[in-house]
Amino acid sequence: MRRTRTARLALLGLTTALALSACGSDDEGGSAAPAPEQTTFEAGTTMAAIQERGTIRIGVKYDQPLFGERQLSGDVEGLDVEMGKIIAAKLGLAEDDIEFVEAVSRNREPFLQQGQVDLVIATYTINDTRKEVVDFAGPYYITGQSLLVAADDDSIGGKEDLAGKTVCSVTGSTPLERIKTEAPQATVIEFDTYGRCAQAVLNDQADAVTTDEAILLGLLLGAEEDFKVVGEQFSEEPYGIGLKKGDQAFRDFLNDTIEASYEDGSYQEALEATVGQVQDELPEGPPVDRY
Amino acid sequence: MPFQYLDELAEGFLTTLSLTLLSAVGALVIGTVLAAMRVSPVPVLRAVGTTYVQLVRNTPLPVLAVLFALGLPVLGPSFGFFTWAVLALAVYTGAFVCEALRSGINAVGVGQGEAARAIGLGFGQTMRLVVLPQAFRTVVPPLGNVLIALTKNTAVAATISVADITLRSNALITSSADPLGVIGASALAYLVITLPLGLAVDRLEGRVAVVR
């Protein structure tokens, strides 16, 4: 009896050791992520502080397909996540050194103000109200309000065709208010998620879903047979990288990093791997706004 | 102008009121039929009644509402969102009406049913003429609770695009600069329905109480 237990313990020890060594060798292997660069930064800057700490905390969305979506494996994927990886690499950090934290629209400003994250890259539209409390680098992607309709519906080619149609958006959102003035002849219905709006279109209870095209593209992912995005965008939403207000050196570094990623192709690669899944013609990186 | 949005809230109030009235009627009908099924001598009817109550009573109402409004249309039927809301509320509340009523039926003395059968009444007649009238009298207070809960539960219609008090106030909170005023006004609007309802139930209770 006792001997068996000892044998089991030994076996357990052996397995643990093997598992640990396996982990070790995995780390050596590395991944396809941009290779960390060895740059040194002036002491006292946020960049030097992050490098010193050895980790960077980035707030991303967990529920926004193509931009920041948490997979069943626990990994977060999307363009925002890829931008975070590009920045971390510039700081000399490996992919494993990035700590992604879930940011929802309401907690993005407090996260930055309280220093709970270093950056927020979470489909974060740059606007004047927000500029008063946080700083923005970028934009790195520009989207705008657009329409999602059933794939076989040719009667809607843009917001001009919405008279007499039913349009769906999310309760309390800006796109919902905007569509009421942009298409006053349309009937507007509302749910609390865009997924439910998409279901209403499938059921013929609504003719179109309207919100930022970036979000519509996310709805399109995996449902390319059912839906299509139509018409010109009728608003402009530049997505930026949020950082704590007043950190000019860090902001310059981020803007430089975004520009460098346009030039060395890593931005296009990131765009291809994410938004490229549902869109053939990908936009150029928008010029950064050093306001 | 603190009360500039009262017009819009008033429209929402009418919607909430009609949601409440229509689904209350539906719930009372469904609940009565279910209660009769649950105490009937036919095993199949009892099983159906029990299954209904257990399934519906244990499903969160917001889930039921979306299931009705967006799920059932997949299978064919197409109604407006208002109709779906009334159906979901009636089906859900019916289960609670049934249970309240059943407790009343169980409170009617066994001798009443036996006497009814002794003079030759069938199950339907026994229920309709003897048991249910007495049962309804004892369950006025719990039924009042169920109806007041129903009134507040109508707020779930806001999640399926029915422009009731809650949906209108959600929109007003974003568009007006007075969120607390809007929330306060919408709370008052619900009270305008629930307070008189509560008083009516109290009076009814006093008038129909069985003196034993």
Side-chain angles (χ1 to χ4, degrees):
Chain A
M1 188 65 183
R2 178 168 294 167
R3 183 168 296 170
T4 327
R5 190 173 290 168
T6 324
R8 268 190 202 152
L9 275 175
L11 194 60
L12 184 71
L14 189 65
T15 342
T16 318
L18 277 173
L20 282 176
S21 66
C23 282
S25 61
D26 255 8
D27 282 349
E28 302 297 312
S31 65
E37 294 174 32
Q38 276 316 317
T39 335
T40 43
F41 296 95
E42 211 175 305
T45 58
T46 310
M47 293 81 88
I50 291 171
Q51 228 170 21
E52 177 92 359
R53 203 196 311 149
T55 58
I56 182 167
R57 291 173 64 98
I58 304 178
V60 294
K61 289 270 176 81
Y62 272 16
D63 58 357
Q64 195 51 70
L66 305 178
F67 287 82
E69 186 184 34
R70 195 163 190 260
Q71 309 297 311
L72 287 179
S73 63
D75 296 339
V76 203
E77 287 177 7
L79 179 62
D80 291 348
V81 173
E82 295 304 314
M83 292 311 289
K85 288 178 185 168
I86 290 172
I87 291 159
K90 265 280 191 280
L91 286 165
L93 298 176
E95 211 173 297
D96 292 349
D97 298 330
I98 312 175
E99 202 182 320
F100 288 111
V101 184
E102 182 178 16
V104 299
S105 296
R106 276 187 301 273
N107 71 12
R108 292 180 295 200
E109 289 85 11
F111 259 20
L112 288 169
Q113 288 169 322
Q114 298 162 7
Q116 296 194 37
V117 295
D118 299 300
L119 297 172
V120 165
I121 317 179
T123 59
Y124 203 2
T125 299
I126 304 174
N127 68 33
D128 290 343
T129 336
R130 290 173 181 164
K131 275 181 187 171
E132 283 174 21
V133 283
V134 298
D135 273 343
F136 286 101
Y140 59 92
Y141 189 82
I142 292 184
T143 187
Q145 189 166 348
S146 188
L147 299 168
L148 178 90
V149 300
D152 56 3
D153 184 355
D154 293 323
S155 66
I156 300 174
K159 66 175 161 77
E160 319 73 52
D161 304 325
L162 287 177
K165 303 277 187 181
T166 305
V167 196
C168 187
S169 198
V170 160
T171 306
S173 67
T174 318
L176 180 79
E177 292 309 311
R178 191 181 289 121
I179 198 66
K180 287 177 185 165
T181 48
E182 294 281 345
Q185 306 281 314
T187 309
V188 178
I189 64 168
E190 51 191 276
F191 287 101
D192 44 10
T193 64
Y194 291 112
R196 289 180 181 170
C197 281
Q199 184 62 48
V201 171
L202 282 182
N203 293 350
D204 282 331
Q205 292 168 304
D207 299 300
V209 185
T210 186
T211 184
D212 293 355
E213 186 162 319
I215 295 170
L216 296 179
L217 291 175
L219 289 175
L220 209 53
L221 184 64
E224 289 93 336
E225 312 258 296
D226 298 321
F227 303 116
K228 61 184 177 188
V229 172
V230 293
E232 296 282 308
Q233 297 180 357
F234 45 96
S235 74
E236 192 180 87
E237 313 289 336
Y239 288 170
I241 298 178
L243 65 150
K244 200 168 200 166
K245 190 163 175 63
D247 195 343
Q248 190 59 40
F250 194 27
R251 189 148 80 96
D252 288 340
F253 163 79
L254 292 170
N255 279 327
D256 293 345
T257 306
I258 293 172
E259 277 175 348
S261 77
Y262 293 167
E263 273 158 35
D264 65 17
S266 55
Y267 173 80
Q268 279 73 19
E269 226 170 87
L271 203 58
E272 192 83 37
T274 55
V275 181
Q277 291 174 66
V278 290
Q279 208 172 36
D280 296 332
E281 276 181 43
L282 293 171
E284 295 283 306
V288 301
D289 175 17
R290 296 174 190 265
Y291 61 88
Chain B
M1 279 285 281
F3 292 115
Q4 61 198 12
Y5 43 75
L6 270 189
D7 279 0
E8 270 200 57
L9 271 188
E11 276 177 54
F13 174 81
L14 289 181
T15 308
T16 295
L17 192 64
S18 34
L19 274 176
T20 308
L21 292 176
L22 290 172
S23 45
V25 171
L28 287 172
V29 172
I30 293 174
T32 310
V33 173
L34 278 178
M37 283 168 80
R38 288 205 69 177
V39 298
S40 81
V42 186
V44 180
L45 289 183
R46 282 207 304 272
V48 171
T50 311
T51 312
Y52 178 102
V53 169
Q54 295 302 352
L55 271 186
V56 170
R57 191 172 59 169
N58 294 311
T59 306
L61 180 57
V63 175
L64 204 65
V66 172
L67 214 55
F68 268 59
L70 292 175
L72 289 185
V74 176
L75 305 176
S78 75
F79 299 118
F81 291 118
F82 180 86
T83 311
W84 284 124
V86 170
L87 286 174
L89 284 163
V91 163
Y92 179 79
T93 314
F96 293 90
V97 170
C98 163
E99 288 307 275
L101 212 49
R102 204 165 59 91
S103 73
I105 292 172
N106 290 337
V108 175
V110 193
Q112 299 280 330
E114 284 169 354
R117 277 193 297 277
I119 60 169
L121 299 181
F123 174 75
Q125 286 171 311
T126 308
M127 284 308 275
R128 208 173 63 246
L129 302 172
V130 180
V131 178
L132 279 179
Q134 296 182 70
F136 267 114
R137 286 165 172 242
T138 48
V139 297
V140 167
L143 269 188
N145 275 342
V146 170
L147 292 182
I148 288 172
L150 166 67
T151 311
K152 295 180 288 179
N153 282 342
T154 57
V156 81
T159 66
I160 54 171
S161 208
V162 175
D164 69 341
I165 297 174
T166 299
L167 190 82
R168 301 234 179 215
S169 61
N170 281 346
L172 286 168
I173 285 168
T174 9
S175 62
S176 79
D178 183 19
L180 282 182
V182 173
I183 295 168
S186 68
L188 279 177
Y190 280 103
L191 281 180
V192 169
I193 304 177
T194 48
L195 279 182
L197 185 58
L199 289 174
V201 168
D202 280 352
R203 291 197 58 178
L204 189 64
E205 185 192 349
R207 286 173 67 176
V208 301
V210 182
V211 184
R212 289 205 167 100

